Amino acid sequence: MRSFLSLLLILLLAGCALEEAQPQKDSQLIIAQNFMSAAQKKILTKIAKRRSIDLTILDLNSGKIRKAVKKQPWEPGFDLILLDGITALKNIEDLSFQFHQPDFAAIPIGVSYVPDSVVKVQHFKDLSSRYLWAAADNKSEAVLKAHLAYIYRARETNKQLNKVYKDLLRGFKDHKLAFDTYQLQNTLLLCRYDTHLQVLKKAVKKRQFTFALKNQNRYFADYMSLSIIEQTPNYIAAKRFVAYLNYMRDHSRAFRNAFGIIAKRKVAPQPKPKVLLEFLEK
């Protein structure tokens, strides 16, 4: 009997040793997002693979993501959420997460221009008083107006400031053109940095981008948010992946260009996404 127990113990220990010797299986992660192109998905999948993570990427708009989390907060069908734009962030701002980074990546708002043009835009205000322009995407104008509404937030108790603000908005409206092929080739284009890199510059290679705030250390921005679902069983892998994405944002130019974002930098204080949300459409 004792010999049998000894043999059984040896077999159990050998089994454990063999199990430990087996190569570790990849961690499983599912990320829900609302914007990625096929090329961007490929980049994210490769990044995950380097970290021994088997990544699945779901295409869901922010409304569907919100609905899934509200229905099953701990098991909505994904572990992570990567959202593009504060308008999308608005749909999930009241939800609870294990980890939430509403300002994961800044996407600057600026002006794409043709450098040999006689037009020399120095500031967004120039689009209200000096030059004709067009909006090259459907996000930049709303985000620009949110920043301006924040800057002029004291206007409600200051008549002069309120007049300046209203004149500025009226000027934008009066100088705005419809976006078409001619504007793409020649005109000042209000856009996000990702639109400039991935659309405008590919169409017209000589186009350049300015933050349009005179001081290049300042910028208005839209944001990408990054969140981990509450109580996800894959939290450790998710947190590791989040840390690596933050590293790539700050240390890989190729990664930043692929997503149209910029590295974290020391700039003059800017409103956080939560604050900007209060000024959307105001």
Side-chain angles (χ1 to χ4, degrees):
M1 182 68 177
R2 187 174 297 175
S3 298
F4 173 76
L5 290 175
S6 298
L7 178 60
L8 181 60
L9 180 61
I10 291 170
L11 289 173
L12 286 173
L13 291 173
C16 290
L18 285 171
E19 185 176 344
E20 290 177 3
Q22 296 298 318
Q24 280 191 325
K25 291 184 178 179
D26 287 355
S27 301
Q28 305 286 321
L29 279 182
I30 301 175
I31 185 166
Q33 54 77 39
N34 67 333
F35 68 96
M36 284 189 214
S37 65
Q40 289 170 330
K41 290 178 184 177
K42 189 174 182 179
I43 290 169
L44 218 61
T45 302
K46 283 186 175 180
I47 290 172
K49 191 173 183 180
R50 292 193 200 112
R51 312 304 293 181
S52 298
I53 294 171
D54 183 8
L55 184 68
T56 300
I57 301 175
L58 303 180
D59 297 315
L60 294 173
N61 63 42
S62 59
K64 289 184 178 179
I65 289 173
R66 174 184 176 80
K67 186 176 180 179
V69 175
K70 289 285 285 184
K71 186 176 181 180
Q72 293 181 295
W74 296 350
E75 294 183 356
F78 42 83
D79 307 293
L80 290 138
I81 300 171
L82 182 59
L83 286 183
D84 175 21
I86 60 172
T87 53
L89 177 62
K90 191 172 184 179
N91 271 330
I92 66 165
E93 63 172 330
D94 62 335
L95 301 179
S96 296
F97 296 102
Q98 191 80 13
F99 169 87
H100 186 50
Q101 193 176 8
D103 59 346
F104 159 64
I107 308 169
I109 303 296
V111 176
S112 178
Y113 65 97
V114 179
D116 56 1
S117 169
V118 295
V119 174
K120 303 294 181 184
V121 63
Q122 297 292 319
H123 196 280
F124 287 111
K125 291 179 181 178
D126 293 342
L127 304 183
S128 175
S129 59
R130 300 180 62 188
Y131 304 124
L132 296 175
W133 60 281
D137 57 48
N138 60 6
K139 295 178 181 178
S140 53
E141 189 173 2
V143 176
L144 171 61
K145 287 180 177 179
H147 278 277
L148 293 173
Y150 171 79
I151 290 172
Y152 288 92
R153 61 192 180 280
R155 66 188 182 279
E156 294 179 3
T157 57
N158 185 320
K159 290 184 178 180
Q160 182 59 36
L161 195 63
N162 191 45
K163 182 181 183 305
V164 172
Y165 176 72
K166 287 185 175 180
D167 287 345
L168 185 64
L169 294 187
R170 190 178 301 111
F172 282 135
K173 185 176 180 180
D174 291 342
H175 288 74
K176 184 179 179 181
L177 301 169
F179 180 62
D180 57 26
T181 303
Y182 178 83
Q183 313 309 337
L184 175 63
Q185 298 290 334
N186 301 281
T187 305
L188 294 174
L189 298 175
L190 176 67
C191 64
R192 302 196 323 172
Y193 188 48
D194 58 338
T195 302
H196 169 75
L197 288 178
Q198 297 162 14
V199 179
L200 306 179
K201 196 167 180 64
K202 287 183 178 180
V204 182
K205 291 184 179 180
K206 59 184 178 181
R207 274 196 171 275
Q208 296 184 18
F209 184 85
T210 174
F211 293 152
L213 287 175
K214 292 185 179 179
N215 183 345
Q216 285 296 307
N217 290 321
R218 296 190 62 227
Y219 56 87
F220 291 158
D222 200 356
Y223 290 91
M224 278 186 194
S225 62
L226 185 57
S227 312
I228 300 177
I229 294 300
E230 199 167 33
Q231 300 296 326
T232 174
N234 300 314
Y235 176 73
I236 294 176
K239 186 66 174 172
R240 186 158 51 94
F241 190 55
V242 164
Y244 197 55
L245 289 181
N246 276 266
Y247 176 85
M248 293 293 288
R249 177 201 61 211
D250 293 336
H251 296 90
S252 172
R253 182 188 295 272
F255 179 80
R256 292 194 297 270
N257 287 346
F259 287 87
I261 61 178
I262 60 175
K264 288 280 187 179
R265 58 171 68 181
K266 292 182 179 180
V267 294
Q270 297 192 106
K272 295 291 185 181
K274 186 175 182 179
V275 174
L276 278 179
L277 286 174
E278 299 174 15
F279 292 90
L280 269 177
E281 300 178 359
K282 285 191 177 183

